[in-house]
Amino acid sequence: MKSVFERLQRTQPQLFSAADIVVPAAQLAAMAELIAAIERVFALPAYRAQVLAQAPEIARLPCAPRGVFYGYDFHLGTDGPRLIEINTNAGGGLLNAYLLAAHGRDELAAAAKQAIVDMFHEEWRLARGAAPLRRIAIVDEAPAGQFLAPEFALFVELFAEHGIDAVIADPAELQRVVTADGERLLLAGEEVDLIYARLTDFYLETPACAALRQVFAAGGVVVTPHPQAHALYADKRNLMLLSDPQALAALGVDVATVDCLQRGVPQTVTVNPENGEKFWSERKRWFFKPPAGFGSRAAYRGDKLTKRVFEEILAGDYIAQEIAPPSEHPVPVGDETVTMKADFRCYVYAGRIQLVAARLYQGQTTNFRTAGGGFAPVFAG
């Protein structure tokens, strides 16, 4: 499999940095502490009831799997890590496992890949018990054209190494069938057991996802990450609750957890025309983003805003998050050393960090276009 990754490094060098990023062990421990605090909140029945009440109906369906590849994204400051957002289909987890091997950490890479396979087996076990996991479909819209499409191919090969058939598919290729045993999902005439959803249609609302939505709702296929996971973790409106000590206390969150969240979650508030004048005057303090956004799309630093774009924000459904500046790191690029910003992604399953990676960049947000930037492994110093 190493040759596949080496080919990827040649064909898409913008994905990978040559840098090793060393982070103080105390910062890594603080990220783990903050993740644990957030997971405690998310486990509360009161939190789940409040969040799911505003989510689409499909997110309220009972769902046994936890959801794979939660991505907790941080900026590191002198006073500790600050949570920027949480994603439920965080890309790059497997790429970063291979990247560890490319940086000479073969044992860590092998352990990370095994943990990924074990995670999918656990998702299946939670939903189907001891039944054999035979076929996984890695699903995204027009998958061949996706930026991280090479990672899909690496998943196919990794699953094959562990005796699991895996295919890559567009959701429109999936077919719903009704049998005596219930509804099933087929791809090219063969049944699919588990969908690894790389979709940004988080609630399966587009026509292309109609068959997948129906069979999932009927319990005929396991989907991970699933719509409920997105509602509970990745809806950016949840950051408003996590940064509001009064709202947390009303949910029954203990004082120590509230204190931890206050240190690590930047203040996040809703934006509307009534408070528009205040936000415009204080715009340099804030980062504006849509609640359902992903990949930094339609997200803006306040100090870069034009009046026209700000008016569009006021007319839209936006939140504002207090800016937490990213850390900067020297990165070798050819014969030079260049300073780049970094955000840090913790890939998390069942509340435990599996892998930490940096995304190095220049500019307003992570972009995978900066020469010498991209994913970089993170080690404790």
Side-chain angles (χ1 to χ4, degrees), residues 8 123 141 197 321 380:
L8 181 56
E123 290 290 273
E141 293 181 6
Q321 184 180 61

Side-chain angles (χ1 to χ4, degrees), residues 20-372:
D20 286 349
I21 302 299
V22 177
V23 172
Q27 290 270 35
L28 294 174
M31 283 191 276
E33 180 185 13
L34 184 55
I35 289 168
I38 292 168
E39 293 278 346
R40 288 196 296 274
V41 174
F42 289 176
L44 291 173
Y47 169 83
R48 300 172 77 87
Q50 178 172 318
V51 169
L52 294 179
Q54 66 182 2
E57 182 179 355
I58 195 170
R60 296 194 289 273
L61 295 175
C63 204
R66 297 184 175 99
V68 298
F69 289 115
Y70 288 101
Y72 282 75
D73 294 344
F74 294 93
H75 286 171
L76 298 187
T78 55
D79 56 348
R82 304 278 277 170
L83 179 75
I84 303 306
E85 62 186 25
I86 306 171
N87 296 287
T88 49
N89 62 353
L94 184 56
L95 290 176
N96 281 289
Y98 280 91
L99 188 58
L100 286 169
H103 285 251
R105 304 301 181 96
D106 292 336
E107 290 187 9
L108 290 176
K113 287 187 282 185
Q114 185 62 55
I116 288 170
V117 174
D118 292 345
M119 173 175 62
F120 279 91
H121 274 298
E122 177 65 5
E123 290 290 273
W124 176 252
R125 185 196 67 77
L126 289 169
R128 296 291 192 262
L133 174 57
R134 299 162 300 181
R135 196 167 195 235
I136 293 175
I138 302 156
V139 175
D140 203 350
E141 293 181 6
Q146 293 294 329
F147 182 70
L148 291 182
E151 186 177 43
F152 302 167
L154 289 174
F155 271 109
V156 169
E157 299 201 21
L158 179 66
F159 290 138
E161 289 177 17
H162 290 81
I164 305 170
D165 181 34
V167 289
I168 302 166
D170 184 286
E173 298 177 85
L174 300 169
Q175 179 187 5
R176 171 181 174 252
V177 296
V178 181
T179 71
D181 297 324
E183 298 190 16
R184 297 291 182 266
L185 205 61
L186 302 184
L187 178 65
E190 296 187 51
E191 186 173 338
V192 174
D193 295 324
L194 183 147
I195 299 290
Y196 171 27
R198 293 291 291 253
L199 297 157
T200 54
D201 176 12
F202 304 112
Y203 297 122
L204 311 179
E205 295 172 316
T206 61
C209 288
L212 173 55
R213 180 187 179 93
Q214 287 178 288
V215 178
F216 169 70
V221 68
V222 177
V223 176
T224 185
H226 44 70
Q228 187 175 108
H230 183 268
L232 291 172
Y233 281 77
D235 187 318
K236 292 178 178 58
R237 291 174 295 182
N238 300 341
L239 296 170
M240 295 192 294
L241 192 155
L242 290 174
S243 64
D244 183 339
Q246 287 75 35
L248 291 167
L251 292 176
V253 180
D254 63 272
V255 172
T257 297
V258 172
D259 288 345
C260 181
L261 294 173
Q262 285 291 284
R263 291 193 301 271
V265 182
Q267 183 184 10
T268 307
V269 294
T270 191
V271 178
N272 54 51
E274 288 72 29
N275 55 25
E277 184 176 336
K278 176 178 182 293
F279 274 114
W280 178 252
S281 65
E282 298 178 356
R283 62 190 180 278
K284 293 181 180 181
R285 285 184 53 207
W286 301 99
F287 199 98
F288 298 87
K289 57 180 79 173
F294 58 92
S296 300
R297 297 185 185 185
Y300 305 96
R301 278 182 61 102
D303 57 356
K304 305 294 183 182
L305 276 179
T306 64
K307 190 69 172 178
R308 178 188 63 80
V309 172
F310 184 71
E311 293 299 327
E312 293 175 359
I313 289 172
L314 290 181
D317 181 20
Y318 268 72
I319 62 169
Q321 184 180 61
E322 193 170 15
I323 288 177
S327 54
E328 296 186 337
H329 304 264
V331 176
V333 181
D335 296 329
E336 297 182 284
T337 298
V338 178
T339 299
M340 292 193 190
K341 301 172 185 175
D343 72 2
F344 293 83
R345 171 165 288 177
C346 295
Y347 294 93
V348 174
Y349 181 66
R352 298 187 300 273
I353 297 174
Q354 296 172 305
L355 188 67
V356 183
R359 294 181 294 177
L360 302 173
Y361 65 100
Q362 292 176 326
Q364 183 172 328
T365 59
T366 54
N367 50 49
F368 290 99
R369 290 191 296 270
T370 303

